[in-house]
Amino acid sequence: MPVWRPDPTFYPSPRLAMEAPREGLAYVALLRTGGRPDGFAVVDVDPRSATYGRVVHTLDFPYTGDEVHHFGWNACSSALCPFAPHPHVERRYLLVPGLRSSRIYILDTKPNPAEPRLVKVIEPEEVLRRAGYSRLHTVHCGPDGIYVSALGGRGEGGQDGDGPGGILILDHDSFEVLGRWEVDRGPQVYAYDFWWHLGYDTVVTSEWGAPSLFEGGLDLDDVVSRRYGHRLHFWDLRRRRHVQEVDLGDQHQMVLELRPAHDPSKAYGFVGVVVSVEDLSGSVWVWYRDGDRWAVRKVIEIPAEPVEDKDALPDILKPLGAVPPLITDINLSLDDRFLYVSCWGTGELRQYDVSDPFHPKLTGSVRLGGVVRRAAHPAAGPLTGGPQMVEVSRDGRRVYVTNSLYSTWDDQFYPGLRGWLVKLDADPAGGLAVDPGFFVEFGESRPHQVRLQGGDSSSDSFCFPS
């Protein structure tokens, strides 16, 4: 839907976006098991409201088995880039893919942002027919279209399966699947997250694994045998061609969330690695320009926590006698100063000052849940699950955290998991504190990604430096 002026929620630079009004609503994807369809919740996050901290609307999707996971806006601040061909699109629709079904739901947040409506469904057959991909994951609003990553797709036999995965593009207005983004994928096979440096015409992609490696649950033999992804891939954004592969080493299994610097003049970013097969640690790496090549360096390492009473561990961890941190998500504040690291296994959310990206300083930590600790929230008592998806408000003052990872993995690490959303308050000088009055209980529904009304720290890309 075109408008005559740029959408007021679009900002040229991350610094200006930090001056945006506070968010009033949070949108939450809800996974459900047991034959129930997945859903979508709207949470009131306006402290002036009588329904602050409560679910004010829910929507059930029409099918079962989707495994809603990540989602994103149809348009954002990248539409203000000088080369963007659609400057008058508006931030109105949320695209919610099913990671298991490969179906895409389109939700319209107008006229009432508190009650989004399902207005279109793109069936998986259409995605596969036009792009050759399946198992849809990350959604980013690009300058010229809507980009969606896919972990599966047609292999050599032409059937839907283990891929290779990649990226597909949808039209901003019609949501028509335009096709596969890559012209030349080089050696890339595995896929997971993607993002870009618009100031350097560079796309970065990461690797989880083929769908057959994760859909049925985690098999430790696959980790020990180093079958999961351990590489980053760098691409020419305009020419859509693979440029460089960087291998972190096959001991570093599952290279997941990518967070490039928001300032387009900065050519670096961070990626989280779930686990090392050598010592069960998790790690965060920084990628950066080294001359005319891209390079990576480990800058954060978080150790596993030993457990004496193995009976306290779920079956999946009993052979290890320890709880690995399991870094499953990271997020970067819009001023590129604070990096948040979710340790889903040990139940810790860490905050690092990354003003110097090569020398992060730990500035905050909170404990919520955890496989063994089950650290309590003041409003709810001991928790199941641990900090997983993390989202940061545009001004950097509020951090929202959910606790579900992926249905089959939830069942292995946290049997009987009950879903929750919490809010943390971030000190501008560094430090984190749990908001004792904000706890949203989802019961058997499992919340995954959170998006904030008007944008957040992982929704938008910017073309102008701060």
Side-chain angles (χ1 to χ4, degrees):
M1 179 67 70
V3 292
W4 292 111
R5 293 181 178 178
D7 188 304
T9 69
F10 296 173
Y11 292 88
S13 71
R15 180 179 59 80
L16 292 174
M18 293 188 73
E19 300 171 3
R22 175 176 173 146
E23 68 279 1
L25 298 170
Y27 300 105
V28 186
L30 295 178
L31 165 71
R32 296 187 181 120
T33 58
R36 300 170 58 207
D38 292 347
F40 194 80
V42 182
V43 178
D44 186 339
V45 294
D46 182 351
R48 300 167 300 179
S49 170
T51 54
Y52 174 65
R54 300 181 197 169
V55 174
V56 293
H57 180 72
T58 57
L59 182 155
D60 290 345
F61 292 120
Y63 298 94
T64 60
D66 287 313
E67 185 108 26
V68 293
H69 199 73
H70 288 216
F71 63 100
W73 293 101
N74 65 308
C76 60
S77 300
S78 61
L80 300 182
C81 291
F83 55 84
H86 307 291
H88 298 299
V89 291
E90 64 175 331
R91 188 195 309 269
R92 172 170 178 171
Y93 299 96
L94 287 164
L95 284 79
V96 188
L99 179 52
R100 195 175 289 269
S101 70
S102 313
R103 183 175 289 114
I104 304 175
Y105 296 110
I106 313 294
L107 305 183
D108 188 354
T109 66
K110 285 190 175 180
N112 185 354
E115 296 184 8
R117 298 173 297 117
L118 177 62
V119 295
K120 185 180 178 71
V121 180
I122 302 173
E123 295 294 349
E125 294 81 5
E126 181 72 358
V127 176
L128 188 66
R129 183 178 72 84
R130 302 198 63 150
Y133 287 139
S134 63
R135 280 64 165 217
L136 309 181
H137 190 265
T138 304
V139 178
H140 278 310
C141 33
D144 54 350
I146 305 167
Y147 289 61
V148 183
S149 69
L151 279 66
R154 279 198 292 257
E156 293 183 358
Q159 301 299 313
D160 182 22
D162 279 348
I167 298 172
L168 58 120
I169 301 184
L170 281 67
D171 181 82
H172 267 312
D173 297 315
S174 68
F175 307 115
E176 180 182 13
V177 179
L178 299 178
R180 190 181 87 181
W181 173 74
E182 303 86 0
V183 171
D184 176 2
R185 66 171 0 102
Q188 177 263 330
V189 176
Y190 287 167
Y192 181 71
D193 200 12
F194 76 99
W195 216 345
W196 39 54
H197 291 289
L198 293 178
Y200 292 82
D201 288 337
T202 296
V203 169
V204 190
T205 65
S206 61
E207 298 182 340
W208 184 6
S212 60
L213 281 176
F214 61 79
E215 288 190 330
L218 177 67
D219 185 336
L220 288 182
D221 286 342
D222 290 329
V223 180
V224 173
S225 301
R226 309 183 183 206
R227 297 192 178 106
Y228 285 95
H230 46 86
R231 301 179 180 89
L232 289 178
H233 300 271
F234 295 87
W235 308 73
D236 185 313
L237 173 59
R238 301 292 183 90
R239 299 175 63 240
R240 299 155 54 193
R241 296 177 183 276
H242 189 276
V243 172
Q244 184 184 347
E245 175 187 274
V246 177
D247 194 340
L248 278 61
D250 65 4
Q251 69 272 38
H252 300 293
Q253 291 282 285
M254 293 178 261
V255 181
L256 297 187
E257 304 294 338
L258 300 165
R259 298 292 179 258
H262 295 288
D263 188 327
S265 69
K266 299 175 180 175
Y268 68 83
F270 300 92
V271 59
V273 176
V274 175
V275 67
S276 166
V277 298
E278 294 182 337
D279 59 7
L280 301 181
S281 65
S283 57
V284 177
W285 299 59
V286 62
W287 74 78
Y288 60 97
R289 291 295 287 177
D290 183 12
D292 60 354
R293 303 283 287 174
W294 293 96
V296 296
R297 183 189 303 177
K298 186 194 296 185
V299 293
I300 295 171
E301 184 172 282
I302 301 174
E305 297 182 352
V307 175
E308 293 185 2
D309 179 11
K310 291 188 178 182
D311 290 339
L313 295 169
D315 291 344
I316 184 81
L317 293 178
K318 280 186 168 66
L320 305 179
V323 179
L326 301 177
I327 296 177
T328 51
D329 194 21
I330 60 175
N331 209 317
L332 183 64
S333 61
L334 281 185
D335 57 3
D336 296 325
R337 180 177 177 189
F338 291 111
L339 183 73
Y340 295 87
V341 180
S342 287
C343 302
W344 188 62
T346 50
E348 183 180 19
L349 182 73
R350 292 189 173 197
Q351 180 201 58
Y352 290 88
D353 185 333
V354 291
S355 300
D356 177 352
F358 296 101
H359 301 91
K361 298 177 181 176
L362 182 63
T363 49
S365 171
V366 298
R367 294 277 185 170
L368 293 162
V371 168
V372 173
R373 290 174 181 263
R374 298 186 178 247
H377 186 282
L383 300 178
T384 58
Q388 210 289 104
M389 291 303 295
V390 51
E391 193 50 73
V392 184
S393 64
R394 287 175 292 185
D395 62 4
R397 301 294 184 92
R398 294 163 300 286
V399 181
Y400 299 88
V401 180
T402 61
N403 68 328
S404 170
L405 177 61
Y406 186 74
S407 59
T408 49
W409 295 36
D410 286 346
D411 295 339
Q412 290 177 294
F413 288 89
Y414 291 101
L417 181 146
R418 296 185 65 81
W420 45 260
L421 166 71
V422 301
K423 181 174 79 70
L424 311 174
D425 295 318
D427 188 325
L432 269 179
V434 174
D435 179 347
F438 188 101
F439 184 86
V440 182
E441 163 75 51
F442 290 106
E444 294 181 351
S445 297
R446 306 180 186 182
H448 197 76
Q449 185 155 44
V450 178
R451 286 268 169 244
L452 302 180
Q453 183 184 21
D456 47 59
S457 288
S458 69
S459 63
D460 286 37
S461 306
F462 305 92
C463 268
F464 298 90
S466 290

